[in-house]
Amino acid sequence: NNSGKKSNSILKSPIIDHSSYVCFDFWYQFGGLTGVDLTVALLNTTTKINLWKRTDVASFEWKHAYINIDSINNWIEFEVEM
């Protein structure tokens, strides 16, 4: 992106219905790019709650992350801004 503005991509899960504690884990990597933000959020039809956010600098290393969630009856959304 040469305009100086950040662009984003979003990946949204199917609806997840789980009424008890969930440990959601995933792997991520920033591909050597600088200034990349990765946010994981929980969504329903009216609300978006950011659960986790990382900004990394030029890393090719795969990293493991996990988020403890009490219950889910929503979507999980990954958003990358670069």
Side-chain angles (χ1 to χ4, degrees):
N1 185 346
N2 293 330
S3 68
K5 295 180 183 177
K6 287 192 168 193
S7 61
N8 71 333
S9 295
I10 295 174
L11 174 66
K12 190 188 299 186
S13 75
I15 293 177
I16 300 170
D17 186 5
H18 202 281
S19 60
S20 63
Y21 172 84
V22 175
C23 179
F24 177 69
D25 72 317
F26 57 95
W27 289 86
Y28 67 98
Q29 188 234 69
F30 288 107
L33 301 172
T34 57
V36 177
D37 298 324
L38 174 60
T39 304
V40 179
L42 199 58
L43 288 88
N44 62 29
T45 55
T46 59
T47 308
K48 178 177 179 177
I49 301 168
N50 289 340
L51 301 174
W52 182 93
K53 184 173 183 173
R54 292 294 181 273
T55 300
D56 208 351
V57 179
S59 174
F60 285 100
E61 178 183 345
W62 281 96
K63 297 178 182 177
H64 187 224
Y66 63 92
I67 303 167
N68 296 320
I69 304 171
D70 289 334
S71 64
I72 301 176
N73 186 14
N74 319 62
W75 301 272
I76 293 178
E77 177 185 272
F78 287 85
E79 181 175 7
V80 175
E81 260 191 321
M82 51 195 297

